[in-house]
Every structure is written in C-alpha cells, then in structure tokens.
Amino acid sequence: MKDTLPLLSVRNLQLVIPTDEGTAKILDRVTFEVAEGEVVGLVGESGCGKSTLIKAILGILPNQAEIVSGEIKFGGLDLLGSATRRTWHAAKDIGFIPQDPFTALNPVFKVGVQMMEILRWSGLPGEPPGYIGGNTRQRHREHLIKMLKAVQIPDPEDAFERYPHQFSGGQRQRILIASALSSRPKLIVADEPTTALDVTTQREILILLRELIEDDKTSMLLVTHDFGVVAQMCDSVSVMYAGQTMENGTAKDIIHTPIHPYTKRLLACHPELSDEIVGIPGTVPSPIFAPPGCRFGPRCTSCRPACSEQRPPLMKPVGGQRDVACVLLDQGVRV
Ligand SMILES: Nc1ncnc2c1ncn2[C@@H]1O[C@H](COP(=O)(O)OP(=O)(O)OP(=O)(O)O)[C@@H](O)[C@H]1O
C-alpha cells in the first residue's frame, strides 16, 4: 500500500481456536500495515477479532490459539518465529495501552512500583530488558517522573507514591500512556484507549496521545469502533469484519469515499460523518459458524451469489491507493 518498508506488516493472517462447539475461525487472512510514524486505525464492530489480532501482535495469544498461515513482521523480523525474539520485541519496542484504566492497574501496588516493573521489562533505549544493574533504578524513577509530568499528572513525584484508586479514570489512563511510552517504543498498540472515559476526557487524552507520539515519531495501531476517533487521530485505516480485512486506505479516502459496502454501512452509523443515520441489520456471525466467502454477505444489500462462493481477495481499485475485498469490484459493479 505504501512505498517505504512498513514497521509492522500483517499478511494473510489466519488464526483458529478449537472450542467444544467446533473450530472458531477467528482471523481469516487479515492483511494491513503500519508505516514508521504512522497512526493506523483498526476499525470494526464488536466481535470482529480486533483484540485477538492485537494479542497475536503482542505474542499473548491463549495457548489453544493456532496460527494456521500468514505472517506478522515487525521491523522486518518475523514475530511468529522464535518465541524469545517475539517476547523481546513485544517487551521493548511495542508499547501497549489497554482499554480499561479502571482494571489495568493493580489496586494494591503504588503507581510508581507498577511503572517501574513495566519499564524494567522493557528498558530504556540501549538497555536490555530486565537489566537492573548500576544506577538503573534511580534513572528509571527519574525518567518515569518526567513521563508523568509529560502526561500532565499534577505533582508527579507525589503521584509516583500513590495508589491507583487515588486517581480519576482519565488520570489513570494518562498513567498507562506514560508507562506504555516510557521505553520509547517504536510502535504503540492502543486497544480502544478512551472508551471507558467521558467524552471531554476522551478528547483530551486523544489530543495528548497524538502530541506525544508525534514528538517521537512513534507509530500507533489504534483499535476503535468509532470513526470520530479515526477522523481525529488516524492517517490510515484498516476496516475488519468478522475476522476478515474488508478495506485498507488513508483515513481521508475511507471516510469521504468508502468503497466496500461494509465500510459504507459502518460510516452510516456515525451521526457526525453521515447525513442519514442507518444501522446495520443483523449481527456479526460467530467465528464457529461464519458464512462462506465474504462474511459480510448475509448483511450486505449488494450481495450476489458470487459473494458466498469464495473469500474475495484484497484488490486495488483502479487509481486507488487502497485495498478492497469485494467480488463486486472485480465484476465492475458499482458498490
Ligand atoms: N479464546 C477464545 N475461544 C473461542 N472464541 C474466542 C476466543 N477469544 C475470542 N473468541 C471469539 O472470537 C471473536 C472475536 O473476538 P475479539 O475479542 O477478538 O473481537 P473484538 O473485535 O476485539 O471485540 P470487542 O470490540 O468486543 O473487544 C468473537 O466471536 C469471540 O467470541
């Protein structure tokens, strides 16, 4: 999709989890990439496989999950290869901001203790993960207090010694952002980082996050179901439905001229981005009983018999800077 080598590249990733009811085909040839310094939004309804995809990138999949095919490359290295290499990179070069600041911090440990532990296992640039020799602890403490200041936590020295319940939800999310950015990772994976917060705090946190990553040219994979957040934050977007990549493109193209019927329907659910608000009838199918071919077919008003015959490959529409997986494109049908 882009000219330069991507920092993160996920290609044709297929992942299954065996269950008592049958095999859950959770990811079906997911494909997208994140360039250096780029913010990519990963968008889709609940149950589309976003969290599973993040776990695959971070190397924290449940034991029973099986990657059937495909690849995840980070800085050119195969993250699905050696477990040691994967863990090292996930710890050092990929920062993670979780969804819920109310549960992500352990209530019985001081904030500083938890931040120190995370930084110990990621390390500052040039330090191996887990290293605590020399004056590392002192340097980490000073660095983390600076990070708390950068995320606008009042009286950061004092905050370092306080417990999570002594902070508001917005402040806790700022602490988690400070922690995730503390090792100066190349990539931040943020799993709906503001959904647990009120609208005003959401906006403040997103603006702060964007400023912080811009300063260091850090890339970000931002999981969200909210196109308003995409419009505010993202350079590019990957739209997922029921474990399949439907459309990849720049945020501007996807928001203003969506091509895939699913992208169009998803945008039409957002009052701020659509003249006419229309929901999408039906629900995301279970990955155990996913329909054949395009999984959006049963909910798609443009659906044809061909849509259930095979999984449409990602194709580049003429003159377009994006990938779209829809058989109707191949047949020259306006979607
Ligand atoms: N360990 C598991 N065993 C069986 N099925 C699973 C497992 N984990 C996830 N799934 C199923 O995989 C599908 C995708 O789940 P996932 O949590 O990745 O979606 P999501 O897009 O992140 O949803 P949300 O936005 O609600 O977090 C769902 O149907 C879910 O029930």
Side-chain angles (χ1 to χ4, degrees):
M1 200 161 70
K2 292 141 200 148
D3 299 335
T4 50
L5 197 67
L7 177 66
L8 175 75
S9 144
V10 177
R11 298 232 161 271
N12 292 316
L13 191 69
Q14 282 190 287
L15 179 148
V16 299
I17 296 184
T19 73
D20 291 344
E21 288 172 282
T23 302
K25 295 174 189 136
I26 297 178
L27 301 180
D28 182 23
R29 279 165 282 176
V30 169
T31 298
F32 70 95
E33 54 192 43
V34 182
E36 276 186 31
E38 186 183 35
V39 179
V40 175
L42 184 64
V43 186
E45 286 164 276
S46 183
C48 283
K50 305 180 298 292
S51 301
T52 307
L53 177 57
I54 283 185
K55 287 180 193 161
I57 294 166
L58 295 174
I60 52 168
L61 283 168
N63 284 343
Q64 69 273 31
E66 187 195 338
I67 306 262
V68 180
S69 61
E71 63 175 34
I72 305 179
K73 287 199 168 172
F74 179 70
L77 287 172
D78 176 11
L79 284 194
L80 300 178
S82 145
T84 316
R85 184 193 284 165
R86 184 184 65 214
T87 310
W88 199 89
H89 276 280
K92 185 145 192 78
D93 289 330
I94 306 179
F96 176 58
I97 303 173
Q99 190 174 115
D100 186 356
F102 294 93
T103 55
L105 288 163
N106 189 322
V108 300
F109 293 105
K110 288 177 181 171
V111 157
V113 171
Q114 299 186 57
M115 294 182 82
M116 289 284 279
E117 192 60 10
I118 291 169
L119 185 53
R120 177 156 82 95
W121 288 110
S122 46
L124 285 170
E127 286 174 358
Y131 179 71
I132 47 164
N135 63 350
T136 314
R137 286 187 67 78
Q138 183 56 27
R139 284 192 302 113
H140 283 188
R141 187 177 191 283
E142 283 166 14
H143 176 68
L144 288 169
I145 287 170
K146 273 192 210 146
M147 291 302 300
L148 286 176
K149 195 169 173 197
V151 295
Q152 296 154 16
I153 293 289
D155 199 353
E157 296 241 10
D158 176 58
F160 204 72
E161 304 300 333
R162 281 155 64 194
Y163 289 91
H165 73 269
Q166 295 173 289
F167 296 90
S168 69
Q171 286 175 326
R172 285 187 226 186
Q173 196 54 295
R174 286 167 193 265
I175 290 166
L176 291 167
I177 290 171
S179 228
L181 290 170
S182 64
S183 64
R184 304 219 179 285
K186 295 188 178 117
L187 173 72
I188 286 285
V189 176
D191 186 4
E192 305 198 32
T194 54
T195 38
L197 305 172
D198 67 76
V199 182
T200 323
T201 313
Q202 272 183 17
R203 203 180 134 68
E204 286 170 5
I205 297 272
L206 289 173
I207 290 170
L208 174 73
L209 186 54
R210 178 92 217 196
E211 282 171 4
L212 289 170
I213 61 167
E214 265 172 8
D215 284 352
D216 268 0
K217 297 198 169 36
T218 311
S219 305
M220 178 156 72
L221 178 63
L222 175 63
V223 175
T224 179
H225 55 263
D226 185 344
F227 264 111
V229 170
V230 169
Q232 186 184 346
M233 296 288 288
C234 300
D235 304 306
S236 298
V237 188
S238 179
V239 181
M240 261 179 90
Y241 179 78
Q244 298 179 332
T245 303
M246 296 292 166
E247 184 164 2
N248 295 328
T250 66
K252 190 165 159 263
D253 282 350
I254 298 261
I255 290 172
H256 297 295
T257 52
I259 293 179
H260 197 287
Y262 178 60
T263 316
K264 289 182 180 176
R265 298 304 297 262
L266 205 53
L267 277 159
C269 298
H270 286 272
E272 69 275 29
L273 299 168
S274 176
D275 298 336
E276 192 193 1
I277 304 161
V278 196
I280 312 176
T283 52
V284 179
S286 154
I288 302 171
F289 307 106
C294 174
R295 292 185 177 179
F296 186 58
R299 298 172 79 187
C300 180
T301 46
S302 309
C303 185
R304 307 286 170 94
C307 301
S308 58
E309 281 165 17
Q310 58 161 342
R311 158 90 170 97
L314 277 172
M315 293 181 294
K316 291 198 183 300
V318 180
Q321 279 248 316
R322 62 181 121 180
D323 308 314
V324 185
C326 184
V327 292
L328 300 176
L329 271 182
D330 204 22
Q331 296 175 358
V333 176
R334 275 177 68 90
V335 288

